[in-house]
Amino acid sequence: MYLKKALVFFGIFVLMVNCTSKPEPDVLASLNSNELTILDFFKENSKNVFLKQPEKSKKQSIQKWIDNKILLLEAEKSTLLENDNKLKKKLASYKKDIQIRQYLDRTILDSVVTNDFLQDLYKKSVIQVKASHILLGYNKVNKDVSRTKDEAEKLAKKIVTLLKNGAKFETLSKKYSDDKTSAETGDLGFFDWGKMVGPFQEAAFNMKPGDISNPIETKFGYHVIKVTDIKRKNTSSFEDEKSKLVQLGIRERRDILQAAYLSRINKLKLDYDFNLNDENINLLIQKYENMKLELTGEKQKNISPTMILQKIDLDLTLAEYDNKKIGVEILIDEIKKNPRIGENFLKPDIMGKIIENVVMMDIFTKEFIKSGLDTNEDYIKSINNN
């Protein structure tokens, strides 16, 4: 009922946000004494992103937001939750997922994708560069090219010299470039930051119109770049673009983030005395295979991994951490959550990774609370928004 009421205002809502710089606190929907306003919507959703959506997507965004708000408000008041164990588990799992995400964001992401780094990305994101290039591949990166890496580099240096002595870029591109899509002229058109491979864009965005680069090596070979134009884009403020910049930063610093993540995991494993019991893991695999043969012999149909695991000694300790013992139940729960695991867990290294992953998720939530992040404004906002 409330959702239908909210959609009556949709046309007016879209008109208002297109014509005003700040949304007014008009009510989109009401639930008892709680009012859901345009201002609330834009506190939790990027106005810039919203306005770029097709009309149908805008309507769906509003529907989803209001629907989630109503469900959360009702869940808070409902006495049914007290007797609904399934719902309790679902909400607890949802809350745990947010805690883990917040913990990793605050302890790893924020230290790698810093605000200074995002500000630098923003400065690059507000311009577009127009450039041409000549690509010189070699046999290890392009099977259609016979030249060696050394030959490609020497040729790239020769081309740079020819260009600086007055040779036409288009002529040399047509003669030498291995980029079939642009070889005729070398022209790549305008492109944004994040659209080209790392070393290429680093070079191009630090050049001026008319500049010619030294050979730039990427995974495709050697590039000779000429910047022909630079223009500024009409874009939103840093704050409006921040969520998009974070995603771009994650892509650019993926390797650093991965290394930081693994480093933190290794430290926490030591802090919590995490140990896998390799002997019992191998024993469980053997018991599983023997049990499966027995059940198959009984001609049972549709035998699932959980059916077999439930018949195995559940007191078998597979791992320990923080003075806790981890048994077979952990595998049963994981396979129930993700049936696609199938029997892929029947290898010591894979089973160890499954167990380690579950344990680390629990440790992350412990660290989240220990760090006082449960009182953090971002966490409270995430709980209320989703």
Side-chain angles (χ1 to χ4, degrees):
M1 179 177 73
Y2 297 104
L3 193 53
K4 289 180 180 178
K5 177 181 177 182
L7 293 182
V8 171
F9 299 110
F10 177 74
I12 300 172
F13 173 62
V14 173
L15 180 62
M16 288 179 62
V17 298
N18 274 285
C19 297
T20 60
S21 59
K22 292 185 179 180
E24 296 299 324
D26 292 77
V27 177
L28 288 172
S30 298
L31 182 62
N32 298 327
S33 60
N34 295 285
E35 293 184 339
L36 305 178
T37 70
I38 295 173
L39 186 60
D40 294 329
F41 181 83
F42 281 122
K43 282 181 180 177
E44 303 164 13
N45 299 273
S46 168
K47 179 180 175 182
N48 186 50
V49 172
F50 177 83
L51 291 177
K52 290 179 181 178
Q53 292 178 338
E55 294 303 304
K56 186 177 179 181
S57 298
K58 289 177 182 175
K59 189 175 291 187
Q60 289 172 345
S61 296
I62 296 171
Q63 283 179 326
K64 184 178 179 181
W65 178 75
I66 294 175
D67 197 28
N68 285 341
K69 284 294 183 183
I70 291 172
L71 286 173
L72 283 169
L73 289 168
E74 286 295 290
E76 288 174 0
K77 297 177 181 179
S78 177
T79 56
L80 294 175
L81 182 60
E82 297 174 6
N83 301 314
D84 192 334
N85 290 327
K86 188 175 180 180
L87 182 56
K88 278 183 180 178
K89 286 182 180 179
K90 189 172 182 180
L91 289 174
S93 176
Y94 159 75
K95 188 175 181 180
K96 184 175 181 179
D97 287 344
I98 292 179
Q99 290 177 342
I100 291 169
R101 189 180 72 227
Q102 287 280 329
Y103 173 73
L104 294 175
D105 282 354
R106 299 292 78 78
T107 58
I108 297 177
L109 181 61
D110 288 354
S111 65
V112 176
V113 183
T114 63
N115 197 64
D116 286 345
F117 176 74
L118 292 176
Q119 290 281 2
D120 185 55
L121 274 183
Y122 178 70
K123 291 175 184 176
K124 293 170 180 173
S125 73
V126 299
I127 64 171
Q128 287 183 315
V129 171
K130 186 178 183 183
S132 298
H133 84 141
I134 297 170
L135 171 63
L136 302 167
Y138 50 89
N139 49 21
K140 287 189 178 180
V141 297
N142 186 340
K143 58 181 175 55
D144 297 325
V145 176
S146 60
R147 72 174 73 93
T148 65
K149 182 177 179 179
D150 285 344
E151 289 171 340
E153 185 178 11
K154 287 178 183 177
L155 180 55
K157 289 178 179 178
K158 175 184 174 181
I159 289 171
V160 171
T161 300
L162 290 172
L163 289 170
K164 289 184 176 180
N165 287 333
K168 288 189 176 182
F169 199 95
E170 295 82 356
T171 302
L172 295 181
S173 177
K174 191 172 183 178
K175 182 176 180 179
Y176 294 111
S177 185
D178 294 319
D179 183 354
K180 303 305 179 186
T181 60
S182 68
E184 196 67 28
T185 62
D187 185 24
L188 296 170
F190 281 100
F191 51 87
D192 296 328
W193 179 267
K195 297 299 183 182
M196 297 294 181
V197 68
F200 186 102
Q201 70 177 9
E202 284 285 353
F205 274 75
N206 283 290
M207 294 166 64
K208 297 175 182 178
D211 285 353
I212 294 169
S213 73
N214 289 319
I216 303 297
E217 185 180 4
T218 74
K219 62 182 179 180
F220 302 109
Y222 287 94
H223 306 256
V224 177
I225 305 168
K226 180 180 180 180
V227 169
T228 55
D229 197 5
I230 296 174
K231 67 179 181 181
R232 187 175 179 85
K233 296 191 299 181
N234 292 323
T235 190
S236 302
S237 67
F238 172 76
E239 288 302 323
D240 283 340
E241 295 290 321
K242 192 169 182 178
S243 60
K244 191 190 301 182
L245 293 169
V246 169
Q247 294 308 311
L248 181 58
I250 289 172
R251 289 200 300 273
E252 290 196 11
R253 295 198 159 183
R254 182 177 285 111
D255 291 345
I256 301 173
L257 285 166
Q258 180 69 12
Y261 176 75
L262 292 174
S263 176
R264 182 161 292 271
I265 281 182
N266 290 333
K267 180 182 184 303
L268 290 173
K269 282 161 67 174
L270 289 173
D271 291 345
Y272 282 81
D273 295 323
F274 171 73
N275 286 293
L276 287 170
N277 191 319
D278 295 328
E279 184 178 341
N280 282 351
I281 286 175
N282 288 317
L283 180 60
L284 175 63
I285 292 171
Q286 188 61 52
K287 282 189 173 187
Y288 181 95
E289 291 174 338
N290 292 339
M291 185 71 71
K292 183 179 179 181
L293 288 174
E294 291 176 14
L295 292 174
T296 304
E298 295 173 11
K299 297 181 179 180
Q300 290 192 26
K301 295 181 180 179
N302 301 320
I303 299 171
S304 69
T306 54
M307 288 173 58
I308 300 173
L309 288 170
Q310 285 168 345
K311 292 179 176 291
I312 295 175
D313 180 9
L314 296 180
D315 290 331
L316 199 63
T317 300
L318 303 178
E320 295 179 76
Y321 80 102
D322 201 26
N323 296 318
K324 294 181 182 179
K325 294 182 178 181
I326 302 299
V328 180
E329 296 96 333
I330 198 172
L331 289 174
I332 295 173
D333 288 343
E334 283 305 294
I335 293 170
K336 284 180 179 178
K337 290 177 189 174
N338 186 8
R340 289 180 296 177
I341 291 175
E343 294 189 340
N344 292 329
F345 68 91
L346 288 179
K347 292 181 181 177
D349 57 336
I350 294 178
M351 189 179 293
K353 286 296 180 185
I354 292 172
I355 295 168
E356 180 182 315
N357 185 63
V358 175
V359 168
M360 291 313 304
M361 295 306 105
D362 185 53
I363 289 176
F364 287 157
T365 57
K366 290 177 184 293
E367 288 293 299
F368 172 86
I369 301 297
K370 190 187 294 184
S371 302
L373 289 170
D374 54 327
T375 60
N376 184 276
E377 188 176 323
D378 287 343
Y379 170 65
I380 295 170
K381 184 177 179 181
S382 294
I383 289 292
N384 292 333
N385 289 353
N386 291 278

